[in-house]
Amino acid sequence: MGTKYHQLFHNNQKWVQKKLQEDVHYFQKLAKGQSPEYLWIGCSDSRVPANEITGTQPGEMFVHRNIANMVVKNDMNLLSVLSYAVEVLKVKHIIVCGHYGCGGVLAAMSKKKYGLIDNWLSHIDAVYKIHHNELDAIEDQEARFRRFVELNVTEQVNGLCRTSIVQNAWKAGQDLQVHGWAYDIHDGLLHDLGFTFSKMEEQVVLNQFE
Ligand code: CO
């Protein structure tokens, strides 16, 4: 255990050497500031590393992760990240990325009690309640689980588009697109769930589906 832990520092030193071999000024350039084009809102799951699966480098993606990639409207952590990303960094794309096999979504589906985390999972329960007709009709449990992951992303994108931060950016004519994706931990592939919102009129259309 100890050896494995200390390996993290050896890995870090090797990584620094590799970066400096490629560009001797690499860290000096990064230290000057960041102007990422993307805000990633993903799950905390260790199998879904935002930079690695998208081939993005340090400086290219602003990242927020929590259990089951939730956009909870009174979550000051999420709202602060969103505010800074949209208003200061002026990211062009916000990606809400769920993943098949998500333990948080599965926990909400199983209705078991887990303690403190149940409070957080209640936000996912709320998504199930909205879509229970569609989800209950899916007999195959794995298929229902996958669909729940997708519907959860849909609802989080919906909530994100309704925040005053995103609404104000669109009102001001800011170039900002909101996307819903799902990552499959079984094969490593990202799936665009097929809806992207880039202005208020589209969000009005979205609201009609509620
Ligand atoms: Co997850």
Side-chain angles (χ1 to χ4, degrees):
M1 196 69 192
T3 325
K4 211 172 160 190
Y5 164 77
H6 289 293
Q7 187 65 38
L8 298 179
F9 283 92
H10 294 298
N11 293 347
N12 171 250
Q13 282 159 12
K14 273 194 266 175
W15 175 75
V16 169
Q17 283 164 10
K18 184 171 164 279
K19 287 294 182 192
L20 291 176
Q21 272 167 12
E22 288 164 9
D23 179 359
V24 73
H25 302 296
Y26 184 74
F27 294 102
Q28 283 161 276
K29 285 179 192 164
L30 269 184
K32 281 184 187 153
Q34 59 173 338
S35 55
E37 279 194 27
Y38 312 99
L39 166 61
W40 174 274
I41 299 174
C43 185
S44 298
D45 195 306
S46 62
R47 297 165 297 179
V48 194
N51 284 124
E52 190 163 347
I53 64 177
T54 57
T56 46
Q57 296 299 315
E60 292 183 344
M61 190 173 260
F62 206 59
V63 171
H64 178 83
R65 291 169 71 177
N66 61 41
I67 291 173
N69 42 270
M70 302 301 287
V71 176
V72 175
K73 66 182 179 198
N74 57 2
D75 176 359
M76 284 309 292
N77 186 354
L78 179 274
L79 291 173
S80 303
V81 169
L82 180 64
S83 165
Y84 191 72
V86 172
E87 294 162 5
V88 180
L89 297 173
K90 302 214 185 290
V91 296
K92 291 189 164 54
H93 303 270
I94 303 175
I95 298 151
V96 177
C97 187
H99 67 104
Y100 301 117
C102 183
V105 172
L106 185 64
M109 225 168 94
S110 73
K111 312 263 188 282
K112 273 190 223 149
K113 291 279 167 256
Y114 292 89
L116 178 79
I117 196 180
D118 293 333
N119 189 293
W120 186 254
L121 297 178
S122 71
H123 299 293
I124 317 174
D125 286 338
V127 174
Y128 198 99
K129 287 197 180 84
I130 296 169
H131 298 281
H132 72 95
N133 283 338
E134 179 183 343
L135 290 167
D136 289 344
I138 304 170
E139 278 179 34
D140 182 71
Q141 201 166 321
E142 183 61 26
R144 195 193 316 145
F145 182 18
R146 288 175 75 89
R147 186 64 186 140
F148 190 13
V149 165
E150 293 168 0
L151 288 170
N152 185 44
V153 171
T154 308
E155 288 304 325
Q156 303 323 306
V157 166
N158 200 354
L160 192 63
C161 291
R162 277 182 288 171
T163 59
S164 57
I165 297 162
V166 171
Q167 291 281 321
N168 288 340
W170 282 339
K171 266 185 221 163
Q174 197 171 322
D175 178 14
L176 178 67
Q177 298 190 351
V178 183
H179 312 268
W181 293 2
Y183 174 73
D184 200 334
I185 53 170
H186 306 91
D187 61 13
L189 292 172
L190 281 167
H191 300 264
D192 188 331
L193 295 179
F195 47 86
T196 289
F197 301 103
S198 56
K199 50 183 181 288
M200 225 151 342
E201 295 85 76
E202 291 170 329
Q203 178 57 18
V204 172
V205 174
L206 182 68
N207 279 330
Q208 288 170 353
F209 287 106
E210 286 183 84

